[in-house]
Amino acid sequence: MKFKFSIAVFLVGFLITLLGAWLKITHMSVGPLTGNVSLTIGTIIQIVGVILLISQIVISKKS
C-alpha cells in the first residue's frame, strides 16, 4: 500500500465527519443516515486511516 491510500482513507473519513456535523447542527437526516451515525462512521474511518498511516511509517523505517 502507498501513503496516498491511507491519506485518502483518512480524508474520506474526515468528509463523512463533516457531513455528520452538518446533519447534527441542522437536525436533519438523509434516510437512515443521521448526524450521530455519520459522525460514528466517519470517526471509525479516520481511525483506520491513521492506523494504516502509522503502520506504513513503521514498516518503511525498518527497511
Side-chain angles (χ1 to χ4, degrees):
M1 264 189 291
K2 295 186 179 185
F3 287 108
K4 290 180 183 179
F5 178 74
S6 58
I7 292 172
V9 169
F10 178 78
L11 289 177
V12 167
F14 181 74
L15 291 175
I16 294 172
T17 304
L18 280 178
L19 174 68
W22 178 73
L23 288 173
K24 198 139 175 82
I25 289 170
T26 59
H27 301 288
M28 292 177 58
S29 64
V30 180
L33 186 66
T34 62
N36 289 334
V37 172
S38 181
L39 285 171
T40 304
I41 292 170
T43 303
I44 290 170
I45 293 174
Q46 282 181 331
I47 290 170
V48 169
V50 168
I51 290 172
L52 286 173
L53 189 62
I54 290 172
S55 67
Q56 288 174 357
I57 290 171
V58 169
I59 289 171
S60 70
K61 294 280 185 182
K62 289 182 179 178
S63 57

